[in-house]
């Protein structure tokens, strides 16, 4: 599906109306294509702190060109600022000193990353300064324009070397529709770094389970994980069997048709993964449904079915896989939440409760994970799919424009975020909820 408005404003008439009426003029976003470099340009590195000395080496490991000084007339594809050395409110002036002179030197669709220390791990003035970074990055994300993104990554002490996979994601077109987000590295669980032997195919030899895999976002998740080297095991309901089988044949994967809400579904999934694949490395709880009604008119079956598919099934499947030891060492569990679970939505009390519950599942299990296993979630905003194409025009336009990028996202944007979580190098990324919403103006 395409954004018809975005196509219109690129036309001669559309450009004229944008100029004279001040209409939204979304920049076409750059997205990653297989085999392309992570960053097509130079990243300027600045700041002082625990990561300053290692940053150029980390970027070089990823094949990203970096500079520590800005020459006159030079342009940059990205900016990385090490703010871990800011220990008091007065030190925040360093943000203006670094960013103001170079913001007009950015290419289209630039990436900005600020690195800080988790505020909860420090005290006094340092805690104040580090917490201030959230307001700074979220505001800059709404200012930057031109398809740019701004993120804050809190890196726990000792996790400096474990930040490579996160930098690779946040500085590349893979994070095209992710902005204004706060990521914590090493704050929950391990701080160790895991070596990635092939950054083009980091999931080589891994097995990935994707529920709701036959179409839409689930299909794109399967495709991206396959691109990164994984053997994908797609799961969907029997009614979608033909589509699921066709996709898995194309991806040289495996499939399992069942209703994930079935009483024996967790046991069947666990048995299949153990017997056919010897375990699983990545589990993506993507399957989801909506049954919208205002609560005053909500029938019992509408409430129960949404909670059963979106939340109770992921809970039961996760617990079964962990209890049976089916999730391999350094494995990944990823839930698909929603911006509705954060900001709420009219007519979606059931859906919002289920998606907020997915976030609760991450919160409840993150501290329990062992053997390098992580659990995280994505929270998509307005993603252009066949389902959203059926939304009334006015509602659809509001949903697509009410974000810093003035456009909807694509299923691949959700998939790329999940692939970052799935990366073996993301062992220190645990307990996070990242919103794939173009930095929505409300709730993000």
């Amino acid at each position: 599906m395409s954004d018809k408005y975005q196509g219109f404003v690129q036309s001669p008439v559309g450009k004229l109306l944008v100029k004279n009426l001040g209409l939204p003029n979304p920049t076409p976003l750059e997205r990653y294509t297989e085999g392309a470099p992570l960053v097509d340009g130079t990243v300027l590195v600045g700041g002082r702190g625990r990561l300053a000395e290692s940053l150029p080496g980390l970027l070089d490991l990823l094949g990203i060109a970096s500079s520590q000084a800005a020459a006159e007339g030079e342009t940059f594809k990205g900016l990385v600022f090490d703010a871990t050395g800011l220990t008091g409110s007065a030190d925040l002036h360093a943000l203006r000193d670094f960013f103001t002179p170079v913001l007009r030197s950015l290419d289209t669709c630039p990436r900005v990353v600020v690195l800080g220390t988790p505020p909860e791990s420090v005290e006094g003035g340092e805690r104040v300064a580090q917490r201030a970074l959230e307001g700074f990055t979220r505001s800059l994300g709404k200012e930057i324009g031109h398809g740019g993104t701004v993120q804050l990554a809190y890196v726990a002490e000792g996790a400096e070397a474990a930040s490579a996979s996160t930098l690779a994601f946040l500085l590349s077109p893979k994070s095209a529709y992710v902005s204004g987000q706060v990521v914590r590295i090493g704050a929950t669980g391990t701080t160790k770094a895991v070596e990635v032997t092939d950054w083009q195919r980091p999931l080589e030899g891994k097995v990935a389970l994707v529920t709701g895999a036959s179409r839409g976002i689930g299909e794109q998740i399967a495709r991206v994980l396959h691109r990164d080297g994984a053997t994908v095991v797609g799961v969907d309901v029997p009614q979608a069997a033909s589509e699921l089988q066709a996709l898995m044949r194309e991806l040289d994967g495996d499939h399992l048709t069942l209703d994930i809400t079935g009483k024996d579904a967790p046991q069947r999934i666990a048995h299949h993964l153990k017997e056919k694949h010897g375990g699983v490395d990545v589990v993506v709880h993507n399957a989801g449904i909506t049954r919208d009604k205002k609560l005053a008119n909500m029938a019992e079956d509408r409430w129960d079915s949404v909670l059963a598919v979106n939340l109770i099934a992921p809970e039961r499947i996760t617990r079964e896989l962990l209890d049976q030891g089916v999730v391999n060492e350094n494995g990944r569990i990823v839930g698909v939440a929603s911006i509705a679970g954060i900001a709420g939505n009219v007519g979606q009390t059931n859906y919002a409760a289920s998606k907020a519950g997915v976030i609760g599942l991450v919160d409840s299990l993150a501290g329990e994970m062992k053997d390098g296993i992580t659990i995280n979630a994505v929270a998509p905003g307005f993603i252009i799919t066949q389902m959203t194409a059926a939304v009334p025009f006015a509602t659809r336009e509001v949903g697509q424009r009410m974000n810093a990028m003035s456009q909807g996202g694509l299923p691949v944007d959700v998939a790329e975020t999940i692939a970052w979580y799935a990366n073996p190098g993301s062992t220190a990324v645990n307990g996070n909820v990242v919103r794939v919403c173009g930095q929505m103006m409300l709730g993000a």
Side-chain angles (χ1 to χ4, degrees):
M1 306 303 296
S2 61
D3 183 342
K4 293 181 180 179
Y5 174 84
Q6 193 170 4
F8 169 72
V9 298
Q10 299 301 317
S11 68
V13 174
K15 289 178 180 178
L16 184 64
L17 291 175
V18 165
K19 181 179 180 181
N20 292 320
L21 300 179
L23 297 175
N25 187 17
T27 300
L29 301 183
E30 296 175 0
R31 291 182 167 88
Y32 180 76
T33 56
E34 187 173 0
L38 286 174
V39 178
D40 186 14
T42 303
V43 172
L44 179 66
V45 177
R48 56 185 176 85
R50 290 181 287 108
L51 292 105
E53 289 188 8
S54 61
L55 272 173
L58 282 175
L59 297 179
D60 185 62
L61 172 71
L62 299 169
I64 298 174
S66 65
S67 173
Q68 293 178 283
E72 186 175 352
E74 188 176 8
T75 60
F76 299 99
K77 196 65 175 177
L79 305 173
V80 179
F81 182 80
D82 180 6
T84 61
L86 307 187
T87 58
S89 301
D91 292 343
L92 293 169
H93 199 275
L95 296 168
R96 196 219 70 87
D97 290 346
F98 175 74
F99 285 103
T100 300
V102 295
L103 284 174
R104 290 187 175 89
S105 302
L106 295 175
D107 292 333
T108 303
C109 297
R111 302 283 177 262
V112 174
V113 179
V114 175
L115 302 169
T117 300
E120 60 273 16
S121 69
V122 291
E123 301 293 338
E126 185 173 3
R127 187 167 190 160
V128 174
Q130 292 301 317
R131 182 59 180 81
L133 299 176
E134 295 191 30
F136 173 80
T137 51
R138 286 192 169 119
S139 294
L140 183 56
K142 293 176 178 177
E143 291 182 11
I144 192 168
H146 306 291
T149 65
V150 182
Q151 327 287 356
L152 171 60
Y154 282 131
V155 183
E157 191 164 356
E160 294 83 5
S163 60
S165 69
T166 300
L167 287 170
F169 172 65
L170 297 180
L171 288 173
S172 76
K174 295 180 178 183
S175 58
Y177 201 60
V178 176
S179 189
Q181 299 306 293
V182 178
V183 177
R184 280 174 163 75
I185 304 172
T188 304
T190 185
T191 59
K192 72 176 183 178
V194 173
E195 183 181 358
V196 177
T197 56
D198 185 351
W199 286 98
Q200 288 287 329
R201 292 177 64 82
L203 298 178
E204 191 71 56
K206 306 293 185 182
V207 176
L209 177 81
V210 181
T211 66
S214 66
R215 62 177 75 90
I217 293 174
E219 177 188 344
Q220 284 302 313
I221 295 169
R223 290 186 181 279
V224 170
L225 296 181
H226 168 73
R227 178 204 69 192
D228 284 0
T231 297
V232 178
V233 181
V235 176
D236 219 316
V237 292
Q239 300 93 302
S242 60
E243 294 170 276
L244 179 66
Q245 291 169 15
L247 177 62
M248 291 303 114
R249 279 196 300 268
E250 180 186 343
L251 302 183
D252 196 24
D254 186 17
H255 71 275
L256 185 61
T257 54
L258 53 74
D259 180 349
I260 60 170
T261 67
K263 184 178 180 180
D264 64 344
Q267 291 76 23
R268 289 178 60 189
I269 291 171
H271 177 79
H272 185 90
L273 291 171
K274 282 197 298 185
E275 293 301 311
K276 290 202 66 176
H277 302 282
V280 67
D281 301 283
V282 181
V283 177
V284 183
H285 294 296
N286 166 73
I289 63 171
T290 58
R291 298 290 185 269
D292 296 353
K293 278 287 183 183
K294 287 187 177 179
L295 188 58
N297 303 315
M298 180 76 68
E300 185 176 1
D301 64 327
R302 285 179 177 268
W303 180 274
D304 289 347
S305 60
V306 169
L307 269 292
V309 174
N310 297 0
L311 178 58
I312 297 172
E315 282 187 280
R316 293 176 62 228
I317 293 167
T318 298
R319 180 50 61 193
E320 187 70 26
L321 295 179
L322 290 174
D323 287 349
Q324 288 200 34
V326 181
V327 181
N328 295 328
E329 186 177 345
N330 201 29
R332 305 283 180 264
I333 300 168
V334 184
V336 177
S338 169
I339 198 72
I342 298 168
N345 214 358
V346 174
Q348 290 196 318
T349 51
N350 53 355
Y351 182 76
S354 71
K355 292 304 186 178
V358 171
I359 297 171
L361 182 63
V362 171
D363 290 343
S364 69
L365 292 181
E368 295 182 18
M369 297 294 101
K370 300 177 181 179
D371 300 321
I373 298 171
T374 67
I375 183 166
N376 297 280
V378 293
F382 192 99
I383 305 298
I384 300 172
T385 63
Q386 288 182 336
M387 183 174 70
T388 57
V391 173
F393 175 78
T395 304
R396 188 169 69 247
E397 280 303 301
V398 170
Q400 290 182 100
R401 308 305 157 210
M402 285 288 288
N403 61 73
M405 296 179 178
S406 299
Q407 59 193 286
L410 299 179
V412 71
D413 298 322
V414 181
E416 293 285 16
T417 308
I418 289 171
W420 156 56
Y421 283 145
N423 191 305
S426 297
T427 303
V429 180
N430 184 37
N432 286 268
V433 179
V434 167
R435 304 164 200 183
V436 187
C437 64
Q439 197 179 6
M440 284 186 70
M441 297 302 180
L442 299 174

